[in-house]
Amino acid sequence: MTRGRSIPRPSCRQCPLRRSEAFKAISGRALGFLSRLKVDHIATPQGHELIRAGDVNPRLYTLYRGWAFRYKTLSDGRRQILNFLLPGDLIGVQANMFDASPHAVEALTDAEFCVFSRRRLWDLYANFPELAFDITWLTAHEEGMVDDNLLSVGRRSAAERVAALLMQLYKRAQGLGLVEKDGLLLPITQQHIADALGISLVHTNKTMRRLVRIGLFQYRRSRLQLTDPHALERLADYFEAPLPPRPLI
Amino acid sequence: MTRGRSIPRPSCRQCPLRRSEAFKAISGRALGFLSRLKVDHIATPQGHELIRAGDVNPRLYTLYRGWAFRYKTLSDGRRQILNFLLPGDLIGVQANMFDASPHAVEALTDAEFCVFSRRRLWDLYANFPELAFDITWLTAHEEGMVDDNLLSVGRRSAAERVAALLMQLYKRAQGLGLVEKDGLLLPITQQHIADALGISLVHTNKTMRRLVRIGLFQYRRSRLQLTDPHALERLADYFEAPLPPRPLI
DNA sequence: CGGCGGCTTGACTAAATTCAAATACCGTGG
DNA sequence: CCACGGTATTTGAATTTAGTCAAGCCGCCG
């Protein structure tokens, strides 16, 4: 049932993600438990569908490397991207709670995932309340992200939506150390942006060009450079402080 | 810090909500713990703001009676309703996880809430893993609801959005036994519907009138009667099975 | 070199917003 | 009982925003 190709497991003890300041420390005992809870480590190619809408009892994943996104579609094919996933994001809590996954997850880049046993999730709740709390925290945090996106899509203009999304992705990526001197490599097409913002591809393009023309950012070959981040924040009415260290499961 | 007027506490053992088939059973021990976790029972008038955006360390609530909604606003006043809250819904998990509440909560009717100690939430995680799991479940479930709304607002036409929202509210209310022979009393204005669907008040009105005219539903004096629920489902492309019993905290 | 996917632009159409005003509803006070 | 004021609903007209259609371009890869 696991979609993806198993590859040798990197050691949890020396997990490079955990070295990032973005994530909070964890007890050795909890880390040992997590490394036993982890049943596989998989690699998937760009475009791979990790979870399909309707999948039953999918596993729980942590995105280890690469980018992905969560989405839903209507039966005629219209697609709404719910949120983007970056390394450290926990995937499938919702899907695990209900009979069938209500959404799908697709990799934006070649990606790797830690795979956790769904069956033994109960052991985690029974024996590691701090980890259980972390799972709730991550779920609430993801909901907060969807809340933000809903605010954008419901009440911001196209230009404001673009500004809010770019700021959000930039700040998240920055927290993970993914921003380089020449900006951030966004592994997404304008179609993804359109589907995340609830606007058409053409309108997305025209809006982005306009924002580039007035000097808010550069965007060439998928590389995003914020030339006027404050103006972008003001336009979006989006002012997020950098997150404190967050749990990593 | 509690907003609202304390009133005498109904007994948790004889909680009328728990008698509803909508909620799953709970052990006597867990129920005893919850009744100790509950520190207050409050009543608030219609329109009361239970949680303000930015509130720090708000408490945790369960909506005991009445309707409410969760929302965010932009600084110029544009408002997006994130989801509606019905009896049994847990409120404030997100707000509890972060420094300041990222959203606000307002009562749509005169309402009553069970108030839980935030401080002692940790005891729950430490001693009642099944309740911890329930809190995660409820959080994931609320996220699923926001996901649905985001799909609507991002990718459905105005008419489809109205159809999806009315179906969703109707089914949720039905699960709680709130639908009567002459339909469901929806304690919301068209402005609320507009703010939930990301469309203007005027357009909401015109869209609803059109759907009434073609016979999909009746809506007089806030009373909703679905005259053609199947057509409404098809229009919305929204087909939710009734939920299995869910946790009540 | 050719083809394909993704980006860009213009012209036209459709959907939704805004503005304005009339009407219905509801509770209060005379 | 009725008049009154405030809120909510309804409708039409003008405007703006976004979507659709169509075509050209650009960069990359085989």
Side-chain angles (χ1 to χ4, degrees), chain A residues 47-153:
Chain A
H48 182 82
E49 215 173 359
L50 182 72
I51 297 177
R52 246 182 259 264
D55 275 1
V56 294
N57 290 354
R59 306 195 164 190
L60 212 58
Y61 303 90
T62 288
L63 180 49
Y64 176 84
R65 190 177 62 78
W67 291 51
F69 64 95
R70 218 162 56 81
Y71 68 100
K72 299 183 81 134
T73 51
L74 295 172
S75 58
D76 66 359
R78 280 175 283 176
R79 176 175 77 170
Q80 177 64 40
I81 292 181
L82 303 167
N83 62 314
F84 291 99
L85 301 166
L86 269 66
D89 284 345
L90 184 62
I91 301 171
V93 177
Q94 273 193 71
N96 263 271
M97 297 284 165
F98 311 109
D99 278 350
S101 175
H103 59 250
V105 173
E106 183 178 318
L108 278 164
T109 62
D110 292 350
E112 292 176 37
F113 301 86
C114 310
V115 186
F116 297 103
S117 164
R118 168 194 163 83
R119 212 164 26 77
R120 278 190 274 148
L121 188 59
W122 175 250
D123 292 345
L124 184 152
Y125 274 79
N127 298 312
F128 291 88
E130 71 275 28
L131 295 179
F133 194 85
D134 286 345
I135 289 182
T136 307
W137 192 98
L138 288 168
T139 307
H141 180 250
E142 180 170 82
E143 180 183 353
M145 206 129 59
V146 182
D147 287 349
D148 278 339
N149 293 343
L150 179 53
L151 173 63
S152 269
V153 172

Side-chain angles (χ1 to χ4, degrees), chain B residues 138-160:
Chain B
L138 288 167
T139 307
H141 180 249
E142 180 169 83
E143 180 183 353
M145 207 128 60
V146 182
D147 286 349
D148 278 339
N149 293 343
L150 179 53
L151 173 63
S152 269
V153 171
R155 286 300 181 219
R156 281 193 249 247
S157 71
E160 293 165 345

Side-chain angles (χ1 to χ4, degrees), chain B residues 30-140:
Chain B
L31 184 56
F33 175 81
L34 285 181
S35 82
R36 287 191 303 280
L37 187 68
K38 176 168 172 176
V39 293
D40 203 357
H41 187 95
I42 62 172
T44 67
Q46 176 183 54
H48 181 83
E49 214 173 358
L50 182 73
I51 297 177
R52 247 182 258 265
D55 274 2
V56 292
N57 290 356
R59 304 195 166 192
L60 212 58
Y61 303 90
T62 288
L63 180 48
Y64 176 85
R65 190 177 63 78
W67 290 51
F69 63 96
R70 217 163 56 81
Y71 68 100
K72 299 184 80 136
T73 52
L74 294 172
S75 58
D76 66 359
R78 281 174 284 176
R79 175 174 76 169
Q80 177 64 40
I81 293 182
L82 303 168
N83 61 313
F84 291 99
L85 301 165
L86 270 67
D89 284 345
L90 184 63
I91 301 172
V93 176
Q94 273 193 71
N96 262 270
M97 296 284 165
F98 312 109
D99 279 350
S101 175
H103 58 251
V105 173
E106 182 179 318
L108 280 163
T109 62
D110 293 351
E112 291 176 38
F113 300 86
C114 310
V115 186
F116 298 103
S117 163
R118 168 193 163 82
R119 215 166 24 78
R120 277 191 275 149
L121 188 59
W122 175 249
D123 293 345
L124 183 152
Y125 274 80
N127 299 313
F128 291 87
E130 70 275 29
L131 294 180
F133 194 85
D134 286 346
I135 289 182
T136 307
W137 193 98
L138 288 167
T139 307

Side-chain angles (χ1 to χ4, degrees), chain A residues 194-211:
Chain A
D195 287 348
L197 298 182
I199 50 186
S200 70
L201 171 62
V202 172
H203 195 54
T204 300
N205 178 273
K206 288 176 180 171
T207 303
M208 287 182 67
R209 302 264 68 232
R210 189 156 53 81
L211 296 187

